[in-house]
Amino acid sequence: PFAFYQVEEVTWDNELNVQDLHIYSRCDLYSAQKIYGYVQDASKIKSFPTTDAVYHPNGYTGEGGFNYLIDGNQYTYNITDWHSNDPAIPHYYQIDLGKSVSELRLYMKKHPNGDHAPKKVEVWVSTTEDGTYTKVGEATTKLLDSYESITNAISLGGSYQYIRIYAPERSIDNKQCIALSELYVLPN
């Protein structure tokens, strides 16, 4: 099992297995993403329903591309498609990690105004992009009370290259979509 923590609550002691323990300090998670993160290229991210486009019917800016999930800018964000004819929850992000891993951590930062953050997250894994995905765990995020949230180590129960991060319930503001300013997949 895994859990989410408010970033300022995390203690890293001996469970962190990367060279530079200081990279996961609260102020430097973007640097950790740029140096150690499994997703360096937004083309490795997909969503269901698909929304990698900068579009909003009311003309809002900053909403759209998957590159916004890894750009270090809290004022840009990605939102899964939320129009009335789009599929209901669950929505998910599918990520190609670029290599098989057996453990990881997830870091999430809320949309700038706090709307549409996931309440709960499930992690699913597969050895192939279009293969069968298997659920490895779920946890309630801390995004209702905090702007950012990080997991402890998530054991995948094997080595996998593809993960899906599901939002199985409506968002914290009861919407049928999820929006995140940042989503990092980091090594343990």
Side-chain angles (χ1 to χ4, degrees), residues 26 33 39 60 103 110-111 121 129 133 146 168:
R26 183 167 197 264
Q33 156 61 25
V39 184
Y60 298 141
E103 287 187 325
K110 268 197 276 196
H111 175 291
V121 168
E129 183 175 15
Y133 282 76
S146 174

Side-chain angles (χ1 to χ4, degrees), residues 14-62:
N14 294 330
E15 68 181 83
L16 192 60
N17 297 321
V18 295
Q19 280 183 308
D20 299 317
L21 297 181
H22 69 277
I23 60 146
Y24 284 111
S25 70
R26 183 167 197 264
C27 299
D28 211 12
L29 280 161
Y30 177 65
S31 292
Q33 156 61 25
K34 293 305 289 178
I35 296 167
Y36 297 104
Y38 290 123
V39 184
Q40 300 293 323
D41 178 356
S43 70
K44 303 291 186 183
I45 306 170
K46 298 178 181 180
S47 70
F48 178 82
T50 301
T51 58
D52 189 25
V54 180
Y55 166 78
H56 192 287
N58 298 323
Y60 298 141
T61 60

Side-chain angles (χ1 to χ4, degrees), residues 17-127:
N17 297 321
V18 295
Q19 280 183 308
D20 299 317
L21 297 181
H22 69 277
I23 60 146
Y24 284 111
S25 70
R26 183 167 197 264
C27 299
D28 211 12
L29 280 161
Y30 177 65
S31 292
Q33 156 61 25
K34 293 305 289 178
I35 296 167
Y36 297 104
Y38 290 123
V39 184
Q40 300 293 323
D41 178 356
S43 70
K44 303 291 186 183
I45 306 170
K46 298 178 181 180
S47 70
F48 178 82
T50 301
T51 58
D52 189 25
V54 180
Y55 166 78
H56 192 287
N58 298 323
Y60 298 141
T61 60
E63 177 180 304
F66 296 128
N67 59 309
Y68 291 164
L69 293 172
I70 57 174
D71 69 355
N73 183 345
Q74 70 179 18
Y75 297 104
T76 60
Y77 57 95
N78 179 272
I79 185 169
T80 59
D81 214 345
W82 52 270
H83 304 95
S84 60
N85 60 345
D86 289 316
I89 293 294
H91 289 193
Y92 64 82
Y93 289 106
Q94 180 173 305
I95 300 172
D96 176 351
L97 301 174
K99 65 180 182 178
S100 292
V101 302
S102 59
E103 287 187 325
L104 52 81
R105 291 178 187 264
L106 296 177
Y107 167 76
M108 297 179 179
K109 186 179 271 189
K110 268 197 276 196
H111 175 291
N113 67 12
D115 290 345
H116 317 324
K119 285 188 277 193
K120 181 187 277 187
V121 168
E122 296 176 353
V123 175
W124 294 61
V125 295
S126 179
T127 56

